[in-house]
Amino acid sequence: VKFELTILGSAAATPAYGRFPSSQVLNIQDQWFMIDCGEGTQMRLTDFHIPRNRINFLFVSHLHGDHIFGLVGMLTSMSLVGRTQAFTIYAPEGLAEILEVTLRISQSHLTFPLHVHVIDTTEHKAIFENEILTVYTIPLKHSVPTCGFLFKEKPLLPNFIKEKISEYNIPVAQIPLIKFGADFVNEDGTIIPHSELTIPAPPPRSFAYCSDTMYFPEIVPHIEDVDILYHEATFTTEQLENAAFGMHSTATQAAQIALAAKVKMLVIGHISARYPDAEATLAEAQKTFKTTFSGLDGTTFSVPYRR
Ligand SMILES: [Zn+2]
Ligand SMILES: [Zn+2]
C-alpha cells in the first residue's frame, strides 16, 4: 500500500542546472495530492510519468511565483484534454483572484469545476479529511503568509488472524466487530479477548512539507516523528545573511529542525541557483542529521509500513 513522495521541482526562485521550481506529488494508497505548482510543473508530470488526471487536490504553501506560476498552464492543459473531474485547491488568500483575472483576460475556459479554499496560514489546524488521511496546516515564517502541510494517514484497523475462525468457531459476521475492538464470546461463555484474535495495525504514516521558511523551531511540535520531513535548505551556512534576508533556511538549520523533531528522514530542497548541484547543502545537513537526502527533481521517496 503506497505512501510515496515524488519531487517535481527542487529549485529556489528560478530554474537552474536542470532544477525546476517547487512542486511535489504525494501518492497515498493510490490517491494523488499535489503540493505547490511552480513553473514547468506540467512538464515534470510528463517527464516523471505522473498520471495528471488522477490529481484532484493541490495544496499551495504561499503565493510567491516559484510556487504557483505553473498553475494556470497546468489547469488549461487539463481542459484541453477535456477533464471533467473537479479540481480543488487549498491556498492562502489571493490565489482565487490571480486565477480569476488570468483566466478571464486570457479568455481561458475550464472544462471542469475549480474550487479554491482559502486557508489561514497562522493556525495549525485540519483543513482536509477523507477516508484515508487528514491534512493539517503548519504555520511557517516567511516574507509573505506561508504555511506548510502535514499529511497524516488515518489509523488502520487491526488485522484479524484467519486461523482463529476454525480454532474458536467464529461466525464470519463477527469478524468486522472484532476488528473494531470487540471480544468474542464462545457458546460456553468463554471470552476470547480481541488482542488474541488480531494483530495490531502498523502505525499511520506521515509526511510534512515545510517550505518556504526561515529557521522556525515553533514548528517542531507539529512535525514530531514524521516519516518524511521535507524542509527547505536554500543555502549553506556560508550564506547565512542571505538566508536571513530572504527569510529562508540553511542546510544546517533544516537539519536542526529534523533533529529536534526526531523525524525518520529529512529531504531537503529549494536549492538556490548559486549552487550547480546539491552536494554542498547535502553534506552540510548530514553533519547535523545523518538521514538527510537531496530532494532533486524526479526523486521518489517511499515509506513502508513500520512493523
Ligand atoms: Zn520559494
Ligand atoms: Zn517564498
Side-chain angles (χ1 to χ4, degrees):
V1 190
K2 274 187 182 152
F3 193 104
E4 235 172 51
L5 172 71
T6 300
I7 311 295
L8 303 178
S10 59
T14 182
Y17 301 107
R19 303 188 297 261
F20 279 46
S22 290
S23 183
Q24 306 186 353
V25 283
L26 188 62
N27 176 349
I28 304 181
Q29 301 179 32
D30 283 321
Q31 294 188 26
W32 293 84
F33 303 89
M34 178 177 277
I35 307 129
D36 286 341
C37 191
E39 186 184 346
T41 293
Q42 60 173 329
M43 273 100 92
R44 283 318 206 192
L45 290 173
T46 307
D47 291 344
F48 307 137
H49 311 288
I50 309 290
R52 78 177 66 189
N53 291 331
R54 303 268 311 274
I55 304 172
N56 298 327
F57 297 97
L58 165 66
F59 296 85
V60 175
S61 61
H62 65 303
L63 302 188
H64 277 156
D66 58 323
H67 296 254
I68 59 163
F69 282 171
L71 183 53
V72 173
M74 185 179 76
L75 292 174
T76 50
S77 291
M78 284 172 167
S79 265
L80 281 174
V81 295
R83 180 185 173 110
T84 53
Q85 175 77 22
F87 193 82
T88 303
I89 304 173
Y90 294 83
E93 174 93 60
L95 187 68
E97 189 181 346
I98 293 172
L99 292 176
E100 192 276 317
V101 169
T102 313
L103 292 171
R104 176 166 48 83
I105 295 175
S106 65
Q107 297 195 23
S108 307
H109 303 284
L110 300 182
T111 56
F112 53 90
L114 179 68
H115 307 298
V116 184
H117 297 283
V118 176
I119 53 178
D120 180 350
T121 58
T122 65
E123 272 189 331
H124 173 59
K125 117 177 201 207
I127 53 162
F128 173 90
E129 185 178 4
N130 72 6
E131 70 286 2
I132 62 161
L133 88 159
T134 310
V135 184
Y136 302 84
T137 44
I138 306 168
L140 299 175
K141 201 169 184 185
H142 193 43
S143 51
V144 296
T146 305
C147 66
F149 301 101
L150 170 67
F151 294 79
K152 198 163 193 231
E153 262 185 331
K154 289 199 169 159
L156 302 162
L157 292 175
N159 293 309
F160 179 77
I161 305 165
K162 280 192 197 115
E163 290 71 29
K164 301 290 176 184
I165 297 179
S166 51
E167 190 178 339
Y168 294 111
N169 263 323
I170 300 173
V172 176
Q174 292 277 318
I175 294 172
L177 298 173
I178 294 169
K179 286 184 86 162
F180 273 103
D183 298 330
F184 177 65
V185 185
N186 238 341
E187 275 170 13
D188 62 9
T190 320
I191 295 171
I192 321 293
H194 165 259
S195 60
E196 202 198 313
L197 303 170
T198 57
I199 299 167
R205 298 166 292 185
S206 53
F207 164 61
Y209 177 91
C210 296
S211 187
D212 298 353
T213 187
M214 61 190 297
Y215 178 67
F216 191 45
E218 280 86 338
I219 66 177
V220 168
H222 305 317
I223 60 174
E224 261 169 351
D225 199 39
V226 293
D227 292 285
I228 306 176
L229 167 64
Y230 173 83
H231 195 290
E232 72 135 282
T234 309
F235 299 105
T236 55
T237 300
E238 225 178 57
Q239 299 293 326
L240 191 61
E241 271 177 39
N242 260 337
F245 180 75
M247 299 187 84
H248 288 296
S249 298
T250 64
T252 297
Q253 290 170 335
Q256 284 168 341
I257 295 288
L259 193 66
K262 300 182 189 72
V263 305
K264 296 287 172 288
M265 177 200 294
L266 170 66
V267 176
I268 53 172
H270 200 265
I271 301 164
S272 163
R274 75 171 55 235
Y275 304 105
D277 56 46
E279 311 249 310
T281 44
L282 181 63
E284 183 178 305
Q286 283 177 339
K287 276 188 214 156
T288 301
F289 192 80
K290 207 160 179 285
T291 328
T292 303
F293 301 87
S294 284
L296 292 173
D297 302 30
T299 319
T300 292
F301 300 91
S302 291
V303 183
Y305 280 124
R306 289 186 225 166
R307 293 285 170 189

